[in-house]
Amino acid sequence: LWQGLLGVEQISRDANFFMLGGHSLLVTKLLKQLNEKFQTSFSLQDVLASPTIVAQAELIDTHQWIHQTNESDSDNVEVLTL
């Protein structure tokens, strides 16, 4: 995603989006692409607080873990009638 938005071929996982030329318009495009690709609902604040690939990967992993945990919890729920 970053390569396409920033036009940079080689990007370190620790590189800062804004230090590579990212700006407000690009970060809103990145946010849209992240939410679509990974089926998340990150806010602009989430992305601004996580300006590296590593930090954004952690956000995605956490979101996916929470989503999977919630799904497995709902699968194990039994309805009791009193």
Side-chain angles (χ1 to χ4, degrees):
L1 297 178
W2 282 35
Q3 289 172 327
L5 288 171
L6 297 170
V8 177
E9 195 170 311
Q10 295 281 334
I11 300 176
S12 164
R13 62 190 211 118
D14 296 311
N16 184 299
F17 184 80
F18 301 100
M19 298 298 279
L20 293 173
H23 50 74
S24 58
L25 180 59
L26 288 179
V27 81
T28 57
K29 289 181 178 184
L30 175 63
L31 177 61
K32 182 178 186 254
Q33 289 179 10
L34 284 171
N35 285 333
E36 288 176 356
K37 182 171 180 117
F38 298 102
Q39 298 176 351
T40 58
S41 56
F42 297 133
S43 68
L44 184 58
Q45 183 177 352
D46 293 328
V47 176
L48 292 173
S50 305
T52 66
I53 291 174
V54 169
Q56 289 176 9
E58 289 174 359
L59 276 178
I60 293 163
D61 285 346
T62 301
H63 170 81
Q64 290 176 340
W65 180 82
I66 290 170
H67 185 69
Q68 289 173 352
T69 301
N70 287 342
E71 281 183 358
S72 66
D73 286 349
S74 65
D75 291 344
N76 295 325
V77 172
E78 291 182 35
V79 177
L80 298 175
T81 305
L82 300 176

